[in-house]
Amino acid sequence: MKIKTKNLSWGVDGKKIVENITLEIKTGDLVGLVGPNGSGKSSLLRLIYRFYKPLKGSVFLGRNDISSISLKEIAKKMAVVPQERGIFSGFTVYEVVAMGRTPYKGLFDNDTQDDHKIILRSLKKVKLLDQADRFFNTLSGGERQRVLIALALAQKAEILALDEPTNHLDPLHQLQIMEIIKDLRKTTIMAMHDLNMAARYCDRILLIDKGKIIAYGKPEKILTSKNIQDVYGVKVKTWIDKKTGKLSIVLLGINENERVL
């Protein structure tokens, strides 16, 4: 299922945070949403999964305007993996993943045998089946992130929206999370900070700054030295690695006008 936005704008107290964004994410594409802190990445993501109501414009899931769909139906089409995890601290791993079945239930419905099978399959996919009875807050950061991806899998949604899923993780756990996400082959939009990780795994890069699209396309076309310097204020060297065929980026220094000392 594809995602489209048309003239999407949002802000607070008269300040534009997302401005006039028109975008199409093709079915099955993994899109990395990148830009400096305060560029509007998380705000755009929240508009796409209807946490915020736009001041102007529309979001479409497939052919449906998201404003015309109930939250329950949205949850069947799109699963969200947020940064905030505190709400899960009193639950076991199994109970957290079981929350992914909520869109398919009535208020007082219990888990069915099918629900149970889906939950176990989701845990197996992220290699946490043996941790089902542990409490969420006792897990490592990488394990917690895998639980939230399992929750998203249990929703059976065609679209994933993730807000910095590798944030605060060590290199091994970052790679594990990105391998899982890539292997799912779902339509995915993901806010990211690590440009090398974005270049390695994403089909397309959406570069934004000050709430506007700067560029959108394949990593090697978007994450150029000029674009990175213009948007982030840093000097980099970029090249295509011969072994992986992927874009690599090395930080060289700060633009003189960005120095704080």
Side-chain angles (χ1 to χ4, degrees):
M1 181 178 289
K2 66 182 179 181
I3 305 169
K4 288 179 66 176
T5 71
K6 185 176 180 181
N7 302 324
L8 198 61
S9 297
W10 180 81
V12 290
D13 299 327
K15 180 183 177 182
K16 287 282 184 68
I17 296 174
V18 173
E19 189 169 355
N20 204 37
I21 286 186
T22 296
L23 168 71
E24 180 171 333
I25 299 174
K26 296 179 181 178
T27 301
D29 267 3
L30 171 53
V31 173
L33 175 55
V34 303
N37 291 338
S39 61
K41 296 190 300 296
S42 292
S43 297
L44 175 57
L45 207 57
R46 289 168 181 168
L47 285 163
I48 287 173
Y49 62 77
R50 217 180 93 172
F51 186 82
Y52 293 154
K53 182 178 179 180
L55 297 176
K56 185 183 75 171
S58 304
V59 177
F60 297 87
L61 303 183
R63 296 180 178 180
N64 299 310
D65 188 324
I66 201 169
S67 66
S68 67
I69 313 172
S70 71
L71 292 176
K72 192 170 185 176
E73 287 303 311
I74 291 171
K76 291 179 182 178
K77 298 176 184 295
M78 177 163 50
V80 178
V81 179
Q83 286 194 56
E84 301 81 8
R85 306 171 189 172
I87 60 172
F88 303 112
S89 60
F91 297 93
T92 67
V93 168
Y94 183 94
E95 289 168 338
V96 172
V97 178
M99 293 177 190
R101 303 305 300 154
T102 303
Y104 302 92
K105 298 176 179 298
L107 185 59
F108 300 108
D109 289 348
N110 294 319
D111 287 341
T112 65
Q113 277 299 108
D114 281 345
D115 290 328
H116 181 64
K117 289 177 182 177
I118 290 168
I119 293 162
L120 294 183
R121 279 201 300 268
S122 300
L123 283 168
K124 186 177 181 180
K125 182 73 175 178
V126 299
K127 294 183 170 59
L128 284 175
L129 192 55
D130 60 340
Q131 304 294 325
D133 294 328
R134 282 185 64 182
F135 281 96
F136 182 81
N137 61 335
T138 68
L139 302 176
S140 70
E143 288 170 331
R144 292 183 193 188
Q145 198 65 294
R146 282 153 59 196
V147 171
L148 297 185
I149 292 172
L151 187 163
L153 288 176
Q155 277 182 239
K156 292 288 188 178
E158 298 178 54
I159 296 171
L160 287 178
L162 305 100
D163 196 354
E164 298 182 22
T166 60
N167 201 23
H168 304 308
L169 299 182
D170 62 45
L172 172 61
H173 288 102
Q174 288 184 35
L175 288 169
Q176 287 176 337
I177 293 300
M178 291 303 300
E179 290 285 348
I180 290 169
I181 293 167
K182 184 72 172 177
D183 188 52
L184 296 177
R185 301 185 184 279
K186 293 181 180 287
T187 306
T188 302
I189 181 166
M190 176 168 46
M192 306 180 72
H193 273 302
D194 190 320
L195 298 183
N196 274 299
M197 203 68 73
R200 180 186 178 104
Y201 286 100
C202 295
D203 300 304
R204 293 180 179 273
I205 300 294
L206 176 61
L207 177 62
I208 69 170
D209 190 26
K210 299 181 178 65
K212 297 180 180 179
I213 294 178
I214 303 301
Y216 180 48
K218 293 184 177 181
E220 62 272 18
K221 299 291 185 182
I222 305 307
L223 296 177
T224 63
S225 298
K226 183 179 187 307
N227 279 345
I228 294 171
Q229 183 165 329
D230 288 348
V231 170
Y232 288 91
V234 296
K235 299 174 184 177
V236 299
K237 179 182 178 182
T238 66
W239 74 96
I240 302 297
D241 186 276
K242 291 182 180 179
K243 288 185 178 180
T244 65
K246 299 291 185 180
L247 179 71
S248 292
I249 303 164
V250 171
L251 184 66
L252 298 179
I254 304 172
N255 288 355
E256 287 302 318
N257 60 346
E258 299 293 342
R259 293 188 180 276
V260 294
L261 296 177

